Every structure is written in structure tokens, then in C-alpha cells.
Amino acid sequence: MKKIAVLTSGGDAPGMNVAIRTIVRTGLHYGIEVYGIYEGYKGLVEGQIEPLSREDLSRIMNRGGTILRSARYPEFEQLDVQKKGIERLKEKGIEGLVVIGGDGTYKGGLAVHRLGIPTVAIPATIDNDIPSTDYSIGFFTALETAMDSMDKLRDTSFSHHRCSVVEVMGRHCGDLALYAGIAVGSEFIITPETGFDLNRILTAINDSYNRKKNHEIVIVTEKMTDVNELARIINQQTKYETRATILGHVQRGGSPTAYDRVLATELAEYAVTLLHDQNGGYVVGQRGMDIVHTPIEDALNLKKEASSKRYGLFGKLKNKNGGTP
Ligand code: F6P
């Protein structure tokens, strides 16, 4: 292979720039020229494809977001649109593609691969909802942001003897809420995996108040419930004055943590090596200490289990103490 391209798609994630940089540098190592496709699959179809040089990628290790920009582009599910994208690649003589993003990105990558351009996908999403890897690029940076915000919330929550209800991102995956909850020692964590029982939460919050606990933090994965409404109910039915905070897109920004930089470097180097060795149709991932690859079709059919042990730990704590985790 002499020319490959890279795109970032879906929600951006800190560490994507590190992956792009590594792809270019690994490409140079193998004598492969790397092109950047701007604005994901939309830019692919529109032909926004430019060569990337080593200089283009200098001093971006610490920058959040993606220099290639990103887009959500559901139109790419259509075969005729996919074929247009393939034409754009062929016009430039591009023989392989690396796609960086979440499962929507993988689906696009699989389509490109099936239409004859070997493709490898790299997991990058703050949601950590990709089953074929223990962790996706960006998760630990978003976790750090969520943890830092909640530490700050605890300060004011404590000062005012309040309950804070905090919504974090995650789409349909509770990892961000769960890990942040462990990291800040929150009183309640509501995730799609655990569900929640409002009456139990209200009872437990009232118990805490009676035990003279000064403040409470309730973390909720987005889409589980309306956090403003939940705060209103807690405010009404317990003695804690309660406020809701939605952390929102701030969780997607910021300089990637060391862990995300190392992970992005390892995954990207592995992805380009796969393409160099003529292996397309894979997603790369981390399993324990290893960097592994899985066929894209298999990865899309896997169920997320990576964090189940941690959810299980909460189950055990609940049984032992007889309370709500
Ligand atoms: O997938 C990443 C993510 O940030 C999710 O956590 C969230 O549900 C979604 O993207 C938000 O999407 P948008 O940036 O399109 O509002």
C-alpha cells in the first residue's frame, strides 16, 4: 500500500489528534502517504481529502477535538452515497482507510471495506460503549473532567447542605457515570445497566439526612430521566435543598490524559500496521495489556461486557450493606 486515508466521525473525543498523528508517522515509517479526510463520511463523499504531512501534525498531542473535524452523516447508510465516497478515494489513488470513532463510524468503515477499500477502525468515544475494547480513546479524559466538575460541585453542595443531581453523558452506556461515581464517592449512581427505584433513593436520602450527612451527590447517565425533574422531587420529598447540573458537552473537550495519549498511539500504530500487512476489515482494541483486532462484523455484534465486573461489585456491596449502592 502506498496511500491511505484517515477520518474521524461521530462525536469527537480527546485523543483523536494523537491517533491521527500516529497514523501519519507510522505511515511515513512504512513509506505510506497519509491523506486526511475532513468532516468524516460527509467530507469523504464531498471529496474533502488532503495529504497530511509530519509538520501538519506537530504540537497537537495536547489538543482536544479533532483537527480533521467530525460530522454525523446518516446519509452514508445508503449504498449510492457509499459508492460516491469510494469514487473519491479511488480518484486520489487511496488504497486503505483508517476510521476513528464509535460504532456508527464502524458501520461506515465496514461499508467502505465491503466496497473494496481495506479499512481498519479505531475506537474513540467518551461513552466507552464499544464492546470490542476495554477502553476507547477519550473515555478517561472525559472521566477526569466529570470527576473534576463533581469535586467542585461537592464543595458548594457541602457548604449549602444540599443534594446535587448531576447528569453525565454516555448515550446508552453507564460507564462514565459509574467510574465518576466511584472516583468521587457519590452516594447514588443511576445508569442504564442498573436502572433506579425512585422510592428507594428518596428513602435512602432521607436516612442520610437523619444520620446528619451534610450533602449528597446523585449521578445520572443522560437519557435515564429528566434530572431537573428528579432534583425537584428530591427537593420536595426530602429535607435537602437540591440542584441539578448537566455537565453536557464540556465532557467532550480538553487536553487528553496521558492514558488516552498512550492508548491512541498504540491503537493507531497497530491499525496502520494491519493495513500495511494487507489486513483490512478489522477494529482494533485493548484487552488487558494487549492490543488486539476483531473483525468489524463481529465487533458490531458483540455485547458490552467490559465493565460488568464493576457493576457486579456494586451489586455485592448492595447485598452486604443492605442499602442502595
Ligand atoms: O457519543 C458521544 C456523545 O457525546 C454522547 O455521550 C452523547 O449522547 C452524544 O454524543 C451527543 O451528541 P451531539 O454532540 O450530536 O449532541
Side-chain angles (χ1 to χ4, degrees), residues 189-227:
I189 306 170
I190 297 175
T191 70
E193 293 82 356
T194 55
F196 77 108
D197 176 339
L198 180 60
N199 288 330
R200 273 181 76 191
I201 290 181
L202 292 172
T203 306
I205 291 179
N206 275 321
D207 286 352
S208 292
Y209 190 91
N210 294 336
R211 286 200 318 270
K212 306 222 175 322
K213 198 156 183 307
N214 195 280
H215 62 282
E216 298 279 317
I217 294 189
V218 180
I219 302 181
V220 186
T221 301
E222 61 177 345
K223 304 184 204 301
M224 287 296 294
T225 188
D226 178 339
V227 285

Side-chain angles (χ1 to χ4, degrees), residues 26-290:
T26 310
L28 287 172
H29 169 77
Y30 289 128
I32 298 174
E33 194 181 357
V34 180
Y35 282 67
I37 300 172
Y38 292 82
E39 293 186 34
Y41 291 105
K42 177 171 168 286
L44 169 63
V45 172
E46 291 170 355
Q48 297 187 53
I49 307 173
E50 304 290 338
L52 290 172
S53 70
R54 186 186 280 267
E55 291 69 43
D56 291 332
L57 281 309
S58 70
R59 297 188 305 280
I60 62 161
M61 291 292 276
N62 56 343
R63 278 173 56 190
T66 158
I67 55 155
L68 293 178
R69 302 191 299 278
S70 192
R72 299 198 190 275
Y73 188 59
E75 292 86 339
F76 203 71
E77 285 167 22
Q78 298 158 28
L79 185 61
D80 57 325
V81 179
Q82 293 164 2
K83 284 184 175 163
K84 277 187 197 146
I86 300 294
E87 276 167 35
R88 300 289 90 80
L89 291 173
K90 289 192 171 157
E91 280 162 14
K92 299 266 183 199
I94 291 165
E95 303 156 282
L97 178 67
V98 182
V99 296
I100 307 173
D103 51 5
T105 307
Y106 287 14
K107 285 182 192 147
L110 181 59
V112 172
H113 181 73
R114 285 186 173 150
L115 289 170
I117 302 284
T119 299
V120 175
I122 297 179
T125 162
I126 65 160
D127 299 335
N128 204 40
D129 59 348
I130 306 287
S132 53
T133 186
D134 290 352
Y135 297 110
S136 54
I137 298 166
F139 172 66
F140 279 105
T141 306
L143 175 60
E144 205 74 21
T145 303
M147 180 185 76
D148 188 48
S149 308
M150 283 185 229
D151 283 345
K152 289 174 177 154
L153 274 173
R154 194 183 280 288
D155 292 345
T156 169
S157 196
F158 174 87
S159 305
H160 288 266
H161 205 305
R162 277 179 181 162
C163 172
S164 275
V165 178
V166 191
E167 179 185 294
V168 300
M169 281 188 166
R171 215 158 43 132
H172 305 295
C173 178
D175 280 18
L176 204 47
L178 179 69
Y179 282 58
I182 294 171
V184 302
S186 79
E187 282 65 31
F188 300 95
I189 306 170
I190 297 175
T191 70
E193 293 82 356
T194 55
F196 77 108
D197 176 339
L198 180 60
N199 288 330
R200 273 181 76 191
I201 290 181
L202 292 172
T203 306
I205 291 179
N206 275 321
D207 286 352
S208 292
Y209 190 91
N210 294 336
R211 286 200 318 270
K212 306 222 175 322
K213 198 156 183 307
N214 195 280
H215 62 282
E216 298 279 317
I217 294 189
V218 180
I219 302 181
V220 186
T221 301
E222 61 177 345
K223 304 184 204 301
M224 287 296 294
T225 188
D226 178 339
V227 285
N228 287 305
E229 178 60 10
L230 179 59
R232 193 189 62 75
I233 294 170
I234 295 174
N235 195 58
Q236 211 171 49
Q237 300 194 26
T238 75
K239 293 194 177 121
Y240 284 105
E241 204 183 336
T242 304
R243 297 284 189 270
T245 304
I246 297 174
L247 296 187
H249 286 81
V250 73
Q251 294 161 100
R252 287 237 298 261
S255 179
T257 57
Y259 188 90
D260 275 331
R261 296 183 200 193
V262 173
L263 181 64
T265 304
E266 289 180 329
L267 293 178
E269 189 269 341
Y270 191 84
V272 177
T273 302
L274 279 175
L275 278 182
H276 172 257
D277 295 344
Q278 309 296 325
N279 289 311
Y282 290 105
V283 304
V284 296
Q286 183 201 22
R287 282 276 178 246
M289 295 299 285
D290 298 322

